């Protein structure tokens, strides 16, 4: 096989075979296929697309470019949940212990934050003592004993994806649905779960700002799952404003504890309940969605979901007192309010700007080397649709010093759009895509 012929074949719009895709990915991972040929191939894929079979082949070639976690020592169906990334997305912190308390094992690998989106690993590490650098063995043992563990993504998974993503980033070939879908699914599959619930976000704070694109990405990932025998369901959900009220690491742990106590913001609870219901169904824990939602609600009301969060924190070296007393979390020196300059309603919010503001305060990373300050971020008071008084508080800025707070306050103020009339209510979940919906 010659890379030149395969690039030409793709450029002319023909489908590559399983062997051809494997060859390209293997050679590229080894370093024997140069970046310029892979870049040309990515550009050809960007323009010509890929068939469902090609996309599945590309995914599995990337899976096999590195280590594949063997979770067979964990009893029962292992269901993973993945979000394409949003602002203030606190779901994993709530969902992992909640689903575990329903008897379904959650073996979750998570990433760190970059840019305007935060990472679950950074959030959990704001709990004093919490460790995410588990060995594979510790990870598996913890899931067997308490059914929930969250560890950092190991570098050994899907190395081909790491190389390709870096190349796409500098060759204007990130925005290709088959390339994005195979990139995400390869990392998920390599992490060893049997099934996946995907939360594909859409709106200004999301990677896929447009609903059609988010839907196309969701369908492509569900199709990959079907082709490689991993049960996969996707929800397309709203990221036109941040999720919940907290944006920032310790602030989001605080929000997760409140949610597990039954006092969380409605949009966060609603999304966690919907995703959890899908996880219970994929794991065959319940016969139908109503039964699954009822079980979830029973475990929330009984306090078992919250208790399980405590057990997970203790198992990973953290101070489990946090589930009863969040004042043990790091607290910002400076907390200042952002107030409305007119009465009316919140008619829009810019989640991208709010995410970037939290990042600039120190809640996230502008580069891989940035230092995280767990205590900083934004605590929203108002969301889209809420009424506001003239001078009423819209949000609190948690900062390390007054200068940073002053800049952040201005940005938050601009990120809120106020108007005279309440806007029409928007759904939080736009679509559910299961394998049955594909044909
Ligand atoms: N996230 C990924 O993991 N891969 C992509 O290609 C794009 C977003
Ligand atoms: Ca949140």
């Amino acid at each position: 096989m010659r890379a030149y012929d395969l690039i030409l074949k793709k450029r002319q719009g023909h489908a590559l075979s399983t062997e051809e895709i494997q060859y390209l990915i293997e050679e590229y991972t080894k370093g024997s296929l140069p970046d310029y040929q892979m870049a040309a191939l990515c550009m050809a894929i960007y323009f010509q697309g890929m068939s469902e079979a090609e996309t599945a082949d590309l995914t599995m070639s990337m899976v096999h470019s590195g280590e594949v976690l063997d979770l067979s020592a964990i009893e029962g169906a292992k269901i993973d949940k993945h979000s394409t990334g949003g602002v203030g997305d606190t779901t994993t912190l709530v969902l992992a212990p909640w689903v575990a308390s329903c008897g379904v094992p959650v073996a979750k690998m998570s990433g760190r934050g970059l840019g305007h989106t935060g990472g679950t690993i950074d959030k959990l590490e704001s709990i004093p003592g919490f460790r995410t650098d588990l060995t594979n063995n510790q990870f598996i043992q913890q899931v067997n004993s308490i059914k929930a563990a969250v560890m950092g993504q190991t570098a050994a998974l899907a190395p081909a994806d790491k190389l390709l993503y870096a190349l796409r980033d500098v060759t204007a070939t990130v925005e290709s649905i088959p390339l994005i879908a195979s990139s995400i699914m390869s990392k998920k599959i390599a992490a060893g779960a049997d099934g996946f619930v995907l939360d594909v976000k859409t709106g200004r704070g999301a990677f896929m700002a447009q609903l059609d694109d988010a839907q196309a990405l969701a369908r492509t990932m569900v199709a990959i799952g079907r082709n490689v025998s991993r049960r996969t369901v996707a929800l397309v959900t709203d990221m036109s404003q941040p999720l919940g009220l907290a944006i920032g690491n310790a602030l989001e742990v605080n929000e997760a504890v409140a949610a597990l106590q039954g006092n969380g913001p409605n949009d966060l609870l609603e999304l966690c309940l919907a995703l959890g219901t899908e996880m219970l169904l994929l794991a065959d824990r319940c016969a139908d969605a109503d039964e699954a939602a009822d079980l979830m609600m029973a475990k929330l009301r009984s306090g078992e979901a919250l208790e399980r969060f405590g057990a997970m924190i203790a198992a990973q070296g953290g101070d489990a007192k946090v589930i009863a007393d969040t004042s043990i979390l790091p607290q910002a020196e400076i907390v200042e309010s952002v107030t409305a300059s007119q009465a009316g309603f919140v008619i829009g919010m810019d989640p991208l700007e709010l995410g970037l503001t939290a990042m600039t305060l120190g809640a996230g990373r502008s580069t891989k080397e940035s230092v995280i300050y767990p205590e900083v971020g934004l605590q929203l008071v108002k969301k889209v649709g809420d009424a506001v008084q003239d001078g009423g508080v819209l949000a609190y800025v948690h900062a390390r010093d007054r200068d940073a707070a002053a800049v952040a306050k201005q940005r938050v103020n601009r990120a809120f759009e106020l108007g005279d009339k309440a806007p029409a209510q928007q759904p939080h979940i736009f679509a559910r895509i299961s394998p049955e919906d594909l044909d």
Side-chain angles (χ1 to χ4, degrees):
M1 263 184 260
R2 288 201 321 154
Y4 177 92
D5 300 328
L6 303 182
I7 297 166
L8 179 64
K9 187 173 175 185
K10 186 79 255 178
R11 196 196 81 191
Q12 292 173 332
H14 305 296
L16 299 175
S17 70
T18 306
E19 293 71 32
E20 287 166 343
I21 290 172
Q22 264 169 9
Y23 166 81
L24 291 163
I25 294 299
E26 275 170 22
E27 294 298 303
Y28 188 56
T29 311
K30 276 193 297 198
S32 4
L33 185 83
D35 276 347
Y36 52 81
Q37 285 188 308
M38 190 47 96
L41 180 73
C42 287
M43 192 57 87
I45 292 171
Y46 175 87
F47 282 110
Q48 294 292 359
M50 279 186 134
S51 71
E52 203 176 300
E54 285 180 290
T55 311
D57 286 338
L58 176 58
T59 305
M60 292 315 285
S61 296
M62 294 201 288
V63 168
H64 292 124
S65 70
E67 186 190 331
V68 181
L69 219 62
D70 178 5
L71 299 182
S72 58
I74 299 171
E75 267 174 59
K78 279 74 67 182
I79 309 301
D80 198 352
K81 166 256 167 192
H82 178 77
S83 156
T84 57
V87 175
D89 185 357
T90 317
T91 48
T92 295
L93 275 60
V94 178
L95 203 54
W98 194 358
V99 168
S101 74
C102 297
V104 171
V106 182
K108 180 99 186 80
M109 283 222 178
S110 275
R112 295 188 181 275
L114 188 61
H116 70 283
T117 64
T120 296
I121 293 300
D122 298 321
K123 294 171 194 179
L124 286 168
E125 283 181 351
S126 70
I127 300 168
F130 197 99
R131 284 194 329 264
T132 55
D133 57 342
L134 309 180
T135 64
N136 292 355
N137 250 339
Q138 287 170 326
F139 182 63
I140 288 167
Q141 275 180 10
Q142 184 177 324
V143 178
N144 269 333
S145 63
I146 61 165
K147 295 224 181 310
V150 180
M151 76 181 271
Q153 229 151 43
T154 66
L157 300 187
D161 171 64
K162 235 165 243 109
L163 294 169
L164 257 180
Y165 200 2
L167 182 71
R168 288 164 54 212
D169 207 23
V170 293
T171 54
T173 50
V174 168
E175 296 89 347
S176 150
I177 299 264
L179 292 179
I180 298 168
S182 56
S183 164
I184 294 173
M185 290 298 281
S186 68
K187 283 172 281 202
K188 290 283 106 188
I189 293 168
D194 306 307
F196 307 103
V197 175
L198 306 171
D199 179 7
V200 181
K201 309 260 189 212
T202 183
R204 189 160 160 75
F207 185 68
M208 287 288 166
Q210 301 302 321
L211 181 58
D212 315 1
D213 293 337
Q215 255 167 330
L217 177 61
R219 293 178 75 85
T220 304
M221 292 195 290
V222 171
I224 291 172
R226 180 173 68 174
N227 274 281
V228 305
S229 305
R230 302 295 194 288
R231 302 170 75 177
T232 306
V233 171
L235 300 182
V236 179
T237 73
D238 182 43
M239 191 34 72
S240 64
Q241 59 175 331
L243 187 66
L245 295 169
I247 309 168
N249 299 291
L251 292 171
E252 288 189 55
V253 171
N254 183 60
E255 178 169 69
V257 169
L260 289 166
Q261 288 169 337
N263 303 322
N266 277 335
D267 59 343
L268 175 61
L269 273 174
E270 189 190 316
L271 181 60
C272 289
L273 183 61
L275 293 167
T277 296
E278 299 296 346
M279 292 172 80
L280 265 51
L281 288 175
L282 282 191
D284 287 326
R285 176 70 181 83
C286 297
D288 58 41
D290 286 343
E291 188 189 323
D294 287 348
L295 179 61
M296 295 276 297
M297 287 313 294
K299 297 295 180 186
L300 187 69
R301 288 198 200 95
S302 70
E304 287 166 88
L306 177 66
E307 251 172 61
R308 195 62 61 106
F309 191 33
M312 185 182 114
I313 292 167
Q316 298 192 224
D319 189 343
K321 276 203 302 289
V322 72
I323 66 164
D325 177 10
T326 52
S327 73
I328 69 164
L329 291 167
Q331 311 281 329
E333 287 281 312
I334 310 286
V335 180
E336 290 186 9
S337 59
V338 178
T339 54
S341 50
Q342 66 173 92
F345 293 90
V346 179
I347 59 172
M349 282 169 96
D350 183 343
L352 180 59
E353 180 65 7
L354 292 168
L356 290 171
T357 303
M359 181 194 82
T360 308
L361 283 166
R365 294 182 183 77
S366 53
T367 71
K368 283 201 183 75
E369 288 73 35
S370 312
V371 177
I372 294 272
Y373 296 95
E375 72 277 19
V376 304
L378 306 174
Q379 182 70 38
L380 307 174
V381 175
K382 300 292 184 184
K383 298 272 303 262
V384 173
D386 289 344
V388 297
Q389 305 291 323
D390 188 3
V393 178
L394 298 172
Y396 291 97
V397 168
H398 292 239
R400 299 182 68 233
D401 58 63
R402 294 208 182 273
D403 289 348
V407 175
K409 279 169 66 172
Q410 282 194 352
R411 293 182 72 175
V412 172
N413 215 313
R414 281 198 305 266
F416 272 87
E417 193 185 345
L418 304 181
D420 296 331
K421 268 195 11 223
Q425 280 230 334
Q426 283 273 349
H428 300 306
I429 298 171
F430 296 111
R432 172 185 188 274
I433 297 162
S434 73
E436 295 73 46
D437 301 317
L438 292 177
D439 303 310

